[in-house]
Amino acid sequence: MKLLIVDDSEAIRRTIKSVLADMAHEIYECSDGEQALALYSRHRPEWVLMDIKMNQVNGITATGQIKQLFPDAKIVIVTNYDDSHLRQAAYRAGACHYVLKRNLFDICQILIANEDPTPVSPLSKENHER
């Protein structure tokens, strides 16, 4: 699985990476919503883990921009803000989940619950084509 972590705190990005290291084969990261759109366009990760409060472009705006160009993008807001207005704004922008940073392990459950249960390996696909 490919992930994109977007957070202005390098320490938080590092923590999220350590929590999810066993689940992802590629992890991209950046510190701002503006960079997130460019990285998403380039790498097309299965999941984006997006902070809300960032310097240039906030996570809610970046979520909306990514979803506008890539409607199938799966974005989880990961924030310290347990605020109903921010939660509603995140869902309106297109986020599919909202996780508080104090509950980072919830991200693992979200990713596991939404994995494709029947991945097709190149070998099994090749055998079916014969």
Side-chain angles (χ1 to χ4, degrees):
M1 161 183 335
K2 292 193 292 187
L3 300 175
L4 171 58
I5 302 169
V6 187
D7 198 295
D8 58 344
S9 167
E10 184 178 344
I12 293 293
R13 293 195 311 268
R14 193 171 39 250
T15 301
I16 293 171
K17 280 177 20 181
S18 69
V19 168
L20 301 176
D22 293 339
M23 298 184 72
H25 64 273
E26 292 177 50
I27 299 177
Y28 305 97
E29 59 182 282
C30 61
S31 61
D32 191 76
E34 185 176 14
Q35 299 163 340
L37 180 57
L39 280 176
Y40 189 91
S41 298
R42 188 175 318 130
H43 299 290
R44 304 288 173 91
E46 282 87 4
W47 288 94
V48 178
L49 308 176
M50 180 86 70
D51 189 18
I52 290 180
K53 302 288 185 179
M54 294 180 285
N55 292 332
Q56 303 279 318
V57 176
N58 72 53
I60 292 173
T61 300
T63 295
Q65 291 171 342
I66 290 171
K67 290 293 286 186
Q68 184 175 15
L69 294 173
F70 304 97
D72 294 334
K74 294 182 283 188
I75 302 172
V76 178
I77 296 297
V78 183
T79 183
N80 284 321
Y81 300 99
D82 190 6
D83 179 277
S84 62
H85 297 293
L86 287 174
R87 188 180 298 265
Q88 290 171 2
Y91 287 129
R92 277 195 308 271
C96 53
H97 297 281
Y98 192 102
V99 175
L100 298 177
K101 289 180 181 175
R102 66 177 178 247
N103 301 323
L104 282 181
F105 287 99
D106 289 355
I107 297 169
C108 297
Q109 295 172 341
I110 291 167
L111 299 183
I112 289 169
N114 289 283
E115 273 186 321
D116 182 1
T118 55
V120 178
S121 73
L123 182 59
S124 65
K125 184 178 177 184
E126 179 181 297
N127 289 338
H128 285 45
E129 291 176 352
R130 288 184 182 175

